[in-house]
Each structure stands twice: as structure tokens, then as C-alpha cells.
Amino acid sequence: MNEPASAWNPTAAGVLRLPSGRLVRGRALRQPLPDGPVPHFALYLLGRRPPQVDWEARWLRWPDFRLPTDREAATEALREAWSRAAKERVEIACGGGRGRTGTALACLAVLDGVPGGEAVDYVRTHYAAGAVETPWQRAFVRRFG
């Protein structure tokens, strides 16, 4: 089960390569599951519990355009996702795949060594130009760590 993280196609849409080489797939849950391998671990960022999936998943209550309702749980979950991405396929997703997902991916970039003030730009360059949608999401990333 612990196939290398490189089992994600690093050139596929939605796959972010962190500076360490870790690969994490971001996606929109409102879109169909992409072709290819399924994640070993997924972190779903939604205002309500997501449907069951056939892989290990964790849910954070994170309303659209907002921040996680439990910041301590979010930090713990993001640290777990970052750690697991070293050896496993990790997916982070929200409804649209941009705001909450982009914010979480930017936090993973901070954990990976990108300065908090540069992490949003990193994710916008390497994942999606519209990632991290609100001023409070940007502030969350700057203070994350």
C-alpha cells in the first residue's frame, strides 16, 4: 500500500509538487474522480461530512470561503497529510478545489519550507492561479506553522 508518492503523475492537472518533491493532488469534489490511481489518504475540507470513499479519509469541518472551525485539528490533519505525502498518495479536496484546497496546499508548502508570505504565490504558480480565495485564507497561510 505504501507505493511511492511518485505514483501520482506529477504532470497531471491538480498535482502539486512541493519543494521537497512530495506530490499532493488537489481536486474539486464536485467534479468526477480523475482517472488513475486513487489516494491512500485524503483530507476533505467541507462544511458537512463527505460521502464514504474506498480509501482512508479524514474530514475537517471547513465552510466554503471560510477557515477551519477547529484550527488545532486542522493543523494536526495538515501535518499528517504532509508527512504521509512522503510515501503515499495524498489528496486534498473541497467542493470547488480552489479556496479551501488551495489554502491547505499552501499550508503544506509552509510545512515543506516555503515561507508563509510566499506560500500562496507558490500554490497559485504550481497548482491553480485562483487558489486561496479570501483575505482571511491568505492570512491563515501567513500565520500557519
Side-chain angles (χ1 to χ4, degrees), residues 37-73:
V38 298
H40 294 119
F41 175 74
L43 182 56
Y44 296 129
L45 317 169
L46 298 166
R48 67 179 77 157
R49 186 172 297 281
Q52 289 287 94
V53 291
D54 293 333
W55 47 86
E56 186 179 354
R58 187 167 176 180
W59 167 57
L60 284 178
R61 185 178 301 277
W62 191 328
D64 202 7
F65 298 106
R66 306 245 183 261
L67 296 174
T69 58
D70 184 335
R71 310 264 173 97
E72 188 175 314

Side-chain angles (χ1 to χ4, degrees), residues 6-46:
S6 60
W8 282 136
N9 177 355
T11 61
V15 175
L16 173 68
R17 181 184 296 276
L18 294 167
S20 65
R22 286 174 165 91
L23 300 173
V24 180
R25 181 172 74 188
R27 77 175 181 102
L29 291 171
R30 288 192 288 261
Q31 300 297 319
L33 185 67
D35 290 335
V38 298
H40 294 119
F41 175 74
L43 182 56
Y44 296 129
L45 317 169
L46 298 166

